Amino acid sequence: MELVVQKFGGTSVQSKETREMAFNHIQKAIRSGKKVVVVVSAIGRIGDPYATDTLLELIGAGGTKLTEREQDMLVAVGELISTSVFTNMLKEAGVKAEGFSGGQAGIHTTSDYQQAKITKVDPGRILAALEHVDVAVVAGFQGIAPNGDVTTLGRGGSDTSAAALGVALKAHYVDIFTDVDGMMTADPRIVEHAHRLNQVSYEEVSNMANHGAKVIHPRAVEIAMKGNIPMRIRSTYLDGMGTLITGQEALTEKKDVGDRLVTGVAHVPNLTQFTVPANGTAIQKQAFQVLADAAISLDFINISTENIVFTVPFSKKEEVIELLKTLDLEAKAIDNCAKVAVVGAGITGVAGVTAKIVSALAEHQIPILQSADSHTTIWVLVNEADMIIAVNALHDIFCLG
């Protein structure tokens, strides 16, 4: 049985017209002799009746009295509605199809409500269904905990569902359908000359996603990489093949990819930088521990003998301040910061990349508040007012246009 997984996001299932466009991709796969597992997100975005954020508004969003377990019961409904609507559409068109919740599809998770992790996928029920239907439609973003509770996987969870099912089912590939035609060298909304990448490695896409590119969730890429399942990011509205994501050894455009120093530039706005006076290892240990206990995720961490410096999303600023006050630590906070990351497998061990970054930003008098690097990524913290200019300057200096 040759099988493919196709995931359709909220904008791809939000109207009769977009669902029909999605149907065309499914029908094309069926006609080529493949069985299809379709993973769907909740219909539309905030304001649409069954979108996740709209459902949360019904209970007052952040002011709700519901526990996280009870909130998962609510938001999981969005994908179930989408699954039923999509399955009905397929059946009306004469396609043999069957719908499943995440739990019914065999997606088992931890009990970390709202941020559950997939522990295993038992594809038996899906495989049995595909013996007599051509399409299995699965509610993304959700699974089942050991005690039988419904759980959700956090933002981008439908991508993760699709990747996990693809690996468990040994799919030929996993297609992530969205409203853009693949992975771009930068956000085309702020970089006019950004263009689509035909092929990228798992590592490059994961880094782009981790540093702000919204086209796919990094956890999904990591799952596909471990299972060595190729992924494609494609447009629901076009017939193109989009961007192929696979292992470095499987790329067919190896010469072009190998000659590429930088793959793309990503960005994350709305950050706050903290500088905390923490003279001594004991104080540093206490500061990091109190933040870890509160599940505060830190980025851009620098530790010296006198200070610790890090960033958090602006939405976490007040919580961090209050936590540090419990240790009598007064922190300096700089709001309206943005992370800009230069990503590329080709930069490993290459001299002069940082010099180019500093030169490009200095030419526009953009101060660098902080910097960090890994083998394939160099990122800088800048004032958010400089973010768009910074992204464009780095896109230009590495000739990504």
Side-chain angles (χ1 to χ4, degrees):
M1 182 190 301
E2 189 170 343
L3 185 151
V4 298
V5 175
Q6 297 183 343
K7 177 261 176 177
F8 295 97
T11 56
S12 298
V13 297
Q14 69 180 356
S15 69
K16 184 175 183 293
E17 290 73 26
T18 58
R19 288 192 290 273
E20 286 175 350
M21 291 177 185
F23 171 73
N24 291 335
H25 292 291
I26 297 167
Q27 194 174 46
K28 189 174 181 179
I30 294 171
R31 286 174 176 168
S32 69
K34 297 179 178 66
K35 297 285 187 173
V36 187
V37 175
V38 172
V39 177
V40 291
S41 299
I43 294 173
R45 291 178 175 166
I46 188 166
D48 293 311
Y50 309 115
T52 301
D53 288 327
T54 305
L55 293 171
L56 287 170
E57 285 187 341
L58 294 173
I59 55 168
T64 182
K65 300 298 183 184
L66 296 184
T67 65
E68 290 185 339
R69 180 188 68 81
E70 292 164 334
Q71 289 178 61
D72 273 0
M73 290 169 57
L74 171 66
V75 295
V77 170
E79 277 70 21
L80 293 176
I81 291 171
S82 188
T83 298
S84 297
V85 170
F86 213 88
T87 304
N88 184 66
M89 176 195 71
L90 291 170
K91 289 183 175 183
E92 285 183 337
V95 175
K96 294 179 181 178
E98 190 171 345
F100 300 88
S101 69
Q104 291 167 346
I107 298 176
H108 296 264
T109 75
T110 63
S111 296
D112 302 307
Y113 302 107
Q114 299 195 317
Q115 292 291 334
K117 303 293 188 296
I118 295 174
T119 55
K120 68 173 181 177
V121 178
D122 179 0
R125 190 168 177 182
I126 296 294
L127 288 170
L130 290 173
E131 292 294 332
H132 59 86
V133 301
D134 293 318
V135 183
V137 184
V138 178
F141 178 62
Q142 62 182 253
I144 188 169
N147 65 357
D149 283 346
V150 64
T151 54
T152 63
L153 308 177
R155 298 294 180 175
S158 292
D159 290 352
T160 307
S161 301
L165 283 166
V167 171
L169 293 162
K170 296 181 173 56
H172 190 56
Y173 51 78
V174 175
D175 277 346
I176 304 294
F177 285 97
T178 181
D179 51 6
V180 296
D181 187 26
M183 174 68 70
M184 309 291 284
T185 52
D187 187 338
R189 293 171 296 182
I190 67 172
V191 179
E192 182 181 352
H193 301 297
H195 66 90
R196 178 174 56 82
L197 295 156
N198 291 328
Q199 299 186 2
V200 286
S201 67
Y202 294 119
E203 293 86 350
E204 289 173 312
V205 173
S206 183
N207 283 327
M208 289 284 284
N210 273 312
H211 296 296
K214 303 292 187 186
V215 71
I216 191 170
H217 197 282
R219 198 189 313 170
V221 182
E222 290 161 9
I223 290 171
M225 178 169 60
K226 286 179 182 177
N228 198 29
I229 298 294
M231 303 184 84
R232 298 185 299 188
I233 301 172
R234 302 176 62 189
S235 169
T236 305
Y237 319 123
L238 301 171
D239 288 329
M241 290 297 100
T243 299
L244 171 67
I245 307 167
T246 188
Q248 194 78 29
E249 70 288 346
L251 295 171
T252 59
E253 297 179 356
K254 287 186 179 179
K255 182 180 184 302
D256 292 339
V257 173
D259 291 341
R260 192 166 67 202
L261 180 64
V262 169
T263 302
V265 182
H267 65 280
V268 180
N270 303 319
L271 301 177
T272 296
Q273 182 196 51
F274 278 92
T275 301
V276 184
N279 191 352
T281 56
I283 296 175
Q284 291 173 356
K285 177 183 176 181
Q286 290 176 335
F288 282 115
Q289 192 60 56
V290 74
L291 295 170
D293 290 343
I296 303 290
S297 179
L298 311 180
D299 196 7
F300 263 120
I301 301 169
N302 290 133
I303 304 171
S304 68
T305 55
E306 298 180 349
N307 297 309
I308 55 177
V309 184
F310 57 84
T311 64
V312 296
F314 175 74
S315 60
K316 296 291 183 180
K317 174 187 174 181
E318 295 304 322
E319 186 177 357
V320 170
I321 290 172
E322 293 305 313
L323 288 167
L324 293 174
K325 280 183 179 178
T326 65
L327 302 175
D328 294 324
L329 293 174
E330 293 289 338
K332 175 187 174 185
I334 300 176
D335 294 331
N336 302 315
C337 297
K339 175 170 71 171
V340 179
V342 172
V343 178
I347 70 177
T348 303
V350 176
V353 178
T354 301
K356 272 192 168 186
I357 293 170
V358 173
S359 174
L361 299 182
E363 188 174 332
H364 294 276
Q365 281 110 35
I366 298 174
I368 298 173
L369 306 178
Q370 206 174 338
S371 67
D373 69 274
S374 69
H375 293 298
T376 60
T377 309
I378 299 173
W379 53 103
V380 294
L381 190 71
V382 300
N383 293 307
E384 192 168 332
D386 295 324
M387 181 186 75
I388 292 177
I389 296 174
V391 172
N392 277 273
L394 295 174
H395 195 269
D396 289 344
I397 202 166
F398 289 107
C399 304
L400 296 180

